[in-house]
Amino acid sequence: MTTQAPTKTVSPEEYLAQEEKATERHEYIQGVVKAMVGGSFTHHKISLNLTISLSMALKKYPYEVCHADMKLWIPLQQVITYPDVMIASKPLVMLEGRKDTVMNACLVAEVLSPSTRNYDHGEKFDYYRSIPEFQEYLLIEQEYVCVKHYVKIGAKKWSLTEYTELDDVIKLESVGCEIALADIYEDIEL
């Protein structure tokens, strides 16, 4: 009979100290540090397009748009992750002693890839929903035009709208702006 070695767990503080020195990004999930899969150029371009569009649409509003290098701390789940794009109300609520770890995201967007699709739809969405300020979730396909837009409409109740045409426009309820799919998929070969 073979016994499996127990998974080494670390504290959030140990993870953050390790992450400052790391050459690759990692997620922290309930004490376990997991390497993140590298993204493609298309993944990068879509998240950058979205970041730029949101930044322009919200520049006169009390929101901060954060791109892939900012971490999100989800205390109820004991998770630290790097959303592709997130929006939080100003002033940002940061993990104590940190300038790179947001706690009050109201909107998160993830660009899907074959290796992360199920995780982003499932467990990760579960983690995000435990954030009190979290109101909207965008799941963006990179191989074809499709954005799934989840909006919180009540306690434990979410509405889903799918956008599949480049001339579709998404109304982001939590921040009061609109984003065109044509802007998200600009210069993307599908």
Side-chain angles (χ1 to χ4, degrees), residues 59-82:
K59 69 181 182 178
K60 294 183 181 182
Y61 294 91
Y63 297 103
E64 191 69 50
V65 179
C66 302
H67 196 239
D69 289 334
M70 291 294 286
K71 293 182 253 333
L72 177 61
W73 168 235
I74 308 167
L76 290 175
Q77 298 292 332
Q78 291 291 293
V79 170
I80 301 172
T81 188
Y82 290 85

mmCIF file of all heavy atoms in Angstrom, residues 59-82:
data_model
loop_
_atom_site.group_PDB
_atom_site.id
_atom_site.type_symbol
_atom_site.label_atom_id
_atom_site.label_comp_id
_atom_site.label_asym_id
_atom_site.label_seq_id
_atom_site.Cartn_x
_atom_site.Cartn_y
_atom_site.Cartn_z
ATOM 1 N N LYS A 59 -12.907 56.620 -16.609
ATOM 2 C CA LYS A 59 -11.874 57.535 -16.110
ATOM 3 C C LYS A 59 -12.413 58.682 -15.259
ATOM 4 O O LYS A 59 -11.685 59.224 -14.449
ATOM 5 C CB LYS A 59 -10.995 58.048 -17.244
ATOM 6 C CG LYS A 59 -11.638 58.971 -18.213
ATOM 7 C CD LYS A 59 -10.616 59.348 -19.279
ATOM 8 C CE LYS A 59 -11.209 60.322 -20.263
ATOM 9 N NZ LYS A 59 -10.206 60.716 -21.249
ATOM 10 N N LYS A 60 -13.676 59.026 -15.390
ATOM 11 C CA LYS A 60 -14.244 60.105 -14.570
ATOM 12 C C LYS A 60 -15.143 59.564 -13.457
ATOM 13 O O LYS A 60 -15.870 60.322 -12.829
ATOM 14 C CB LYS A 60 -15.026 61.072 -15.453
ATOM 15 C CG LYS A 60 -14.118 61.804 -16.426
ATOM 16 C CD LYS A 60 -14.863 62.812 -17.235
ATOM 17 C CE LYS A 60 -13.877 63.478 -18.194
ATOM 18 N NZ LYS A 60 -14.486 64.507 -19.003
ATOM 19 N N TYR A 61 -15.066 58.275 -13.216
ATOM 20 C CA TYR A 61 -15.909 57.638 -12.208
ATOM 21 C C TYR A 61 -15.046 57.098 -11.068
ATOM 22 O O TYR A 61 -13.842 56.880 -11.241
ATOM 23 C CB TYR A 61 -16.736 56.513 -12.844
ATOM 24 C CG TYR A 61 -17.735 57.043 -13.845
ATOM 25 C CD1 TYR A 61 -17.395 57.169 -15.195
ATOM 26 C CD2 TYR A 61 -19.000 57.444 -13.446
ATOM 27 C CE1 TYR A 61 -18.310 57.667 -16.122
ATOM 28 C CE2 TYR A 61 -19.919 57.945 -14.359
ATOM 29 C CZ TYR A 61 -19.569 58.052 -15.693
ATOM 30 O OH TYR A 61 -20.466 58.548 -16.598
ATOM 31 N N PRO A 62 -15.641 56.841 -9.916
ATOM 32 C CA PRO A 62 -14.854 56.432 -8.745
ATOM 33 C C PRO A 62 -14.505 54.940 -8.729
ATOM 34 O O PRO A 62 -14.776 54.220 -7.754
ATOM 35 C CB PRO A 62 -15.769 56.809 -7.580
ATOM 36 C CG PRO A 62 -17.150 56.605 -8.119
ATOM 37 C CD PRO A 62 -17.059 57.046 -9.565
ATOM 38 N N TYR A 63 -13.916 54.460 -9.827
ATOM 39 C CA TYR A 63 -13.535 53.050 -9.927
ATOM 40 C C TYR A 63 -12.098 52.942 -10.401
ATOM 41 O O TYR A 63 -11.608 53.794 -11.126
ATOM 42 C CB TYR A 63 -14.444 52.304 -10.919
ATOM 43 C CG TYR A 63 -15.885 52.286 -10.493
ATOM 44 C CD1 TYR A 63 -16.805 53.135 -11.104
ATOM 45 C CD2 TYR A 63 -16.317 51.448 -9.482
ATOM 46 C CE1 TYR A 63 -18.131 53.140 -10.712
ATOM 47 C CE2 TYR A 63 -17.651 51.444 -9.083
ATOM 48 C CZ TYR A 63 -18.548 52.293 -9.701
ATOM 49 O OH TYR A 63 -19.856 52.305 -9.298
ATOM 50 N N GLU A 64 -11.474 51.873 -10.017
ATOM 51 C CA GLU A 64 -10.120 51.563 -10.465
ATOM 52 C C GLU A 64 -10.175 50.281 -11.282
ATOM 53 O O GLU A 64 -10.756 49.293 -10.852
ATOM 54 C CB GLU A 64 -9.196 51.367 -9.259
ATOM 55 C CG GLU A 64 -7.741 51.307 -9.594
ATOM 56 C CD GLU A 64 -7.198 52.643 -10.076
ATOM 57 O OE1 GLU A 64 -7.431 53.663 -9.405
ATOM 58 O OE2 GLU A 64 -6.522 52.652 -11.132
ATOM 59 N N VAL A 65 -9.587 50.311 -12.469
ATOM 60 C CA VAL A 65 -9.492 49.121 -13.319
ATOM 61 C C VAL A 65 -8.102 48.522 -13.103
ATOM 62 O O VAL A 65 -7.093 49.213 -13.246
ATOM 63 C CB VAL A 65 -9.697 49.479 -14.805
ATOM 64 C CG1 VAL A 65 -9.576 48.224 -15.673
ATOM 65 C CG2 VAL A 65 -11.051 50.154 -15.016
ATOM 66 N N CYS A 66 -8.064 47.248 -12.748
ATOM 67 C CA CYS A 66 -6.798 46.570 -12.473
ATOM 68 C C CYS A 66 -6.576 45.459 -13.490
ATOM 69 O O CYS A 66 -7.497 44.707 -13.803
ATOM 70 C CB CYS A 66 -6.808 45.967 -11.073
ATOM 71 S SG CYS A 66 -7.095 47.175 -9.761
ATOM 72 N N HIS A 67 -5.360 45.363 -13.971
ATOM 73 C CA HIS A 67 -4.995 44.359 -14.971
ATOM 74 C C HIS A 67 -4.315 43.180 -14.282
ATOM 75 O O HIS A 67 -4.162 43.158 -13.057
ATOM 76 C CB HIS A 67 -4.098 45.018 -16.030
ATOM 77 C CG HIS A 67 -3.969 44.212 -17.278
ATOM 78 N ND1 HIS A 67 -2.765 43.771 -17.739
ATOM 79 C CD2 HIS A 67 -4.896 43.760 -18.157
ATOM 80 C CE1 HIS A 67 -2.949 43.084 -18.855
ATOM 81 N NE2 HIS A 67 -4.228 43.068 -19.125
ATOM 82 N N ALA A 68 -3.843 42.244 -15.026
ATOM 83 C CA ALA A 68 -3.403 40.925 -14.577
ATOM 84 C C ALA A 68 -2.323 40.889 -13.498
ATOM 85 O O ALA A 68 -2.138 39.846 -12.880
ATOM 86 C CB ALA A 68 -2.944 40.117 -15.782
ATOM 87 N N ASP A 69 -1.600 41.956 -13.248
ATOM 88 C CA ASP A 69 -0.545 41.905 -12.242
ATOM 89 C C ASP A 69 -1.029 42.171 -10.817
ATOM 90 O O ASP A 69 -0.278 41.960 -9.874
ATOM 91 C CB ASP A 69 0.575 42.892 -12.584
ATOM 92 C CG ASP A 69 1.383 42.435 -13.775
ATOM 93 O OD1 ASP A 69 1.438 41.215 -14.018
ATOM 94 O OD2 ASP A 69 1.947 43.287 -14.477
ATOM 95 N N MET A 70 -2.258 42.617 -10.670
ATOM 96 C CA MET A 70 -2.810 42.857 -9.334
ATOM 97 C C MET A 70 -3.462 41.585 -8.813
ATOM 98 O O MET A 70 -4.152 40.881 -9.544
ATOM 99 C CB MET A 70 -3.843 43.985 -9.368
ATOM 100 C CG MET A 70 -3.254 45.344 -9.635
ATOM 101 S SD MET A 70 -2.180 45.942 -8.306
ATOM 102 C CE MET A 70 -3.398 46.355 -7.076
ATOM 103 N N LYS A 71 -3.238 41.326 -7.533
ATOM 104 C CA LYS A 71 -3.822 40.146 -6.904
ATOM 105 C C LYS A 71 -5.169 40.511 -6.266
ATOM 106 O O LYS A 71 -5.414 41.667 -5.930
ATOM 107 C CB LYS A 71 -2.876 39.604 -5.835
ATOM 108 C CG LYS A 71 -1.583 39.038 -6.379
ATOM 109 C CD LYS A 71 -0.727 38.475 -5.283
ATOM 110 C CE LYS A 71 0.478 39.239 -4.884
ATOM 111 N NZ LYS A 71 1.162 40.095 -5.778
ATOM 112 N N LEU A 72 -6.010 39.501 -6.088
ATOM 113 C CA LEU A 72 -7.292 39.641 -5.401
ATOM 114 C C LEU A 72 -7.310 38.673 -4.230
ATOM 115 O O LEU A 72 -7.146 37.463 -4.407
ATOM 116 C CB LEU A 72 -8.449 39.342 -6.368
ATOM 117 C CG LEU A 72 -9.859 39.374 -5.767
ATOM 118 C CD1 LEU A 72 -10.201 40.758 -5.198
ATOM 119 C CD2 LEU A 72 -10.886 38.952 -6.817
ATOM 120 N N TRP A 73 -7.494 39.214 -3.015
ATOM 121 C CA TRP A 73 -7.577 38.409 -1.788
ATOM 122 C C TRP A 73 -9.047 38.170 -1.485
ATOM 123 O O TRP A 73 -9.843 39.111 -1.417
ATOM 124 C CB TRP A 73 -6.887 39.131 -0.648
ATOM 125 C CG TRP A 73 -7.111 38.599 0.737
ATOM 126 C CD1 TRP A 73 -7.576 39.313 1.810
ATOM 127 C CD2 TRP A 73 -6.849 37.281 1.243
ATOM 128 N NE1 TRP A 73 -7.618 38.522 2.931
ATOM 129 C CE2 TRP A 73 -7.175 37.264 2.612
ATOM 130 C CE3 TRP A 73 -6.376 36.099 0.662
ATOM 131 C CZ2 TRP A 73 -7.047 36.127 3.412
ATOM 132 C CZ3 TRP A 73 -6.247 34.970 1.453
ATOM 133 C CH2 TRP A 73 -6.567 34.989 2.811
ATOM 134 N N ILE A 74 -9.406 36.901 -1.324
ATOM 135 C CA ILE A 74 -10.783 36.503 -1.035
ATOM 136 C C ILE A 74 -10.768 35.848 0.345
ATOM 137 O O ILE A 74 -10.583 34.633 0.482
ATOM 138 C CB ILE A 74 -11.310 35.547 -2.126
ATOM 139 C CG1 ILE A 74 -11.090 36.159 -3.510
ATOM 140 C CG2 ILE A 74 -12.783 35.225 -1.877
ATOM 141 C CD1 ILE A 74 -11.291 35.191 -4.658
ATOM 142 N N PRO A 75 -10.936 36.638 1.409
ATOM 143 C CA PRO A 75 -10.707 36.122 2.761
ATOM 144 C C PRO A 75 -11.622 34.973 3.186
ATOM 145 O O PRO A 75 -11.164 34.041 3.845
ATOM 146 C CB PRO A 75 -10.895 37.349 3.657
ATOM 147 C CG PRO A 75 -11.558 38.377 2.826
ATOM 148 C CD PRO A 75 -11.289 38.052 1.402
ATOM 149 N N LEU A 76 -12.891 35.017 2.824
ATOM 150 C CA LEU A 76 -13.789 33.942 3.248
ATOM 151 C C LEU A 76 -13.404 32.588 2.669
ATOM 152 O O LEU A 76 -13.691 31.546 3.260
ATOM 153 C CB LEU A 76 -15.239 34.264 2.872
ATOM 154 C CG LEU A 76 -15.891 35.393 3.656
ATOM 155 C CD1 LEU A 76 -17.280 35.703 3.107
ATOM 156 C CD2 LEU A 76 -15.971 35.032 5.138
ATOM 157 N N GLN A 77 -12.743 32.598 1.521
ATOM 158 C CA GLN A 77 -12.326 31.354 0.879
ATOM 159 C C GLN A 77 -10.835 31.051 1.097
ATOM 160 O O GLN A 77 -10.363 29.993 0.703
ATOM 161 C CB GLN A 77 -12.610 31.427 -0.628
ATOM 162 C CG GLN A 77 -14.069 31.595 -0.962
ATOM 163 C CD GLN A 77 -14.885 30.366 -0.616
ATOM 164 O OE1 GLN A 77 -14.392 29.250 -0.609
ATOM 165 N NE2 GLN A 77 -16.152 30.566 -0.328
ATOM 166 N N GLN A 78 -10.118 32.017 1.663
ATOM 167 C CA GLN A 78 -8.662 31.894 1.829
ATOM 168 C C GLN A 78 -7.999 31.648 0.466
ATOM 169 O O GLN A 78 -7.263 30.681 0.267
ATOM 170 C CB GLN A 78 -8.317 30.784 2.829
ATOM 171 C CG GLN A 78 -8.708 31.104 4.262
ATOM 172 C CD GLN A 78 -7.854 32.230 4.840
ATOM 173 O OE1 GLN A 78 -6.654 32.047 5.040
ATOM 174 N NE2 GLN A 78 -8.443 33.370 5.102
ATOM 175 N N VAL A 79 -8.291 32.559 -0.484
ATOM 176 C CA VAL A 79 -7.792 32.450 -1.846
ATOM 177 C C VAL A 79 -7.176 33.789 -2.259
ATOM 178 O O VAL A 79 -7.738 34.845 -1.979
ATOM 179 C CB VAL A 79 -8.928 32.073 -2.833
ATOM 180 C CG1 VAL A 79 -8.483 32.205 -4.282
ATOM 181 C CG2 VAL A 79 -9.432 30.662 -2.551
ATOM 182 N N ILE A 80 -6.031 33.712 -2.934
ATOM 183 C CA ILE A 80 -5.427 34.873 -3.580
ATOM 184 C C ILE A 80 -5.209 34.477 -5.035
ATOM 185 O O ILE A 80 -4.580 33.452 -5.318
ATOM 186 C CB ILE A 80 -4.094 35.294 -2.935
ATOM 187 C CG1 ILE A 80 -4.290 35.627 -1.453
ATOM 188 C CG2 ILE A 80 -3.490 36.489 -3.688
ATOM 189 C CD1 ILE A 80 -3.003 35.877 -0.680
ATOM 190 N N THR A 81 -5.729 35.286 -5.936
ATOM 191 C CA THR A 81 -5.628 34.974 -7.355
ATOM 192 C C THR A 81 -5.319 36.235 -8.146
ATOM 193 O O THR A 81 -5.335 37.338 -7.596
ATOM 194 C CB THR A 81 -6.935 34.299 -7.856
ATOM 195 O OG1 THR A 81 -6.731 33.847 -9.187
ATOM 196 C CG2 THR A 81 -8.120 35.235 -7.770
ATOM 197 N N TYR A 82 -5.044 36.059 -9.415
ATOM 198 C CA TYR A 82 -4.752 37.156 -10.333
ATOM 199 C C TYR A 82 -5.847 37.188 -11.402
ATOM 200 O O TYR A 82 -5.706 36.536 -12.441
ATOM 201 C CB TYR A 82 -3.424 36.929 -11.054
ATOM 202 C CG TYR A 82 -2.162 37.036 -10.249
ATOM 203 C CD1 TYR A 82 -1.677 35.943 -9.533
ATOM 204 C CD2 TYR A 82 -1.416 38.202 -10.257
ATOM 205 C CE1 TYR A 82 -0.482 36.027 -8.836
ATOM 206 C CE2 TYR A 82 -0.217 38.288 -9.564
ATOM 207 C CZ TYR A 82 0.242 37.200 -8.852
ATOM 208 O OH TYR A 82 1.428 37.282 -8.171
#
